[in-house]
Amino acid sequence: MSKVKNYFKRLWKALWDSTDLDEKAEAALKEAKARIAEMKKELADVKKAAKNTVAQAKDVVDAAKGKKRRGKKPSKKNNKKTNNSKKIEK
């Protein structure tokens, strides 16, 4: 009986070692985790963009009502002439 039992144990071990099912499962799990991490990053970006879009849409509604623009004022351009703008005389 012992010889038969050892034979089936060795046969089972040989069959299990010949398959790469566990390696494939580990690789698939690793890939899934990596994709989930990337999706979380992208969803955070989408959330940020959506908040910005909502804020800008509110500004458009306020502009339609006649309210003045909120936020940072546009900067004035510096129109000073520099020494480089003089014509070079020959």
Side-chain angles (χ1 to χ4, degrees):
M1 185 80 174
S2 177
K3 288 184 179 183
V4 175
K5 189 175 180 182
N6 284 337
Y7 171 77
F8 283 117
K9 280 184 180 181
R10 285 185 298 162
L11 179 63
W12 178 254
K13 184 171 176 14
L15 287 173
W16 187 252
D17 288 342
S18 68
T19 64
D20 60 349
L21 185 64
D22 52 343
E23 287 90 3
K24 287 181 181 179
E26 287 176 8
L29 183 62
K30 186 177 179 181
E31 178 70 21
K33 285 182 179 180
R35 288 185 183 190
I36 289 171
E38 287 297 319
M39 287 174 53
K40 285 181 181 179
K41 289 178 188 176
E42 290 298 324
L43 284 173
D45 290 344
V46 169
K47 181 180 175 183
K48 185 178 177 182
K51 283 184 179 180
N52 190 20
T53 302
V54 169
Q56 289 181 358
K58 288 179 183 177
D59 291 343
V60 171
V61 171
D62 290 343
K65 291 179 182 177
K67 294 184 181 179
K68 292 189 176 189
R69 183 176 179 186
R70 301 182 316 203
K72 186 177 177 182
K73 304 280 182 186
S75 63
K76 294 182 181 180
K77 291 186 179 179
N78 189 358
N79 290 329
K80 291 183 180 178
K81 293 185 179 182
T82 62
N83 291 336
N84 295 335
S85 63
K86 294 181 182 178
K87 292 184 180 179
I88 300 175
E89 296 178 20
K90 290 186 179 180

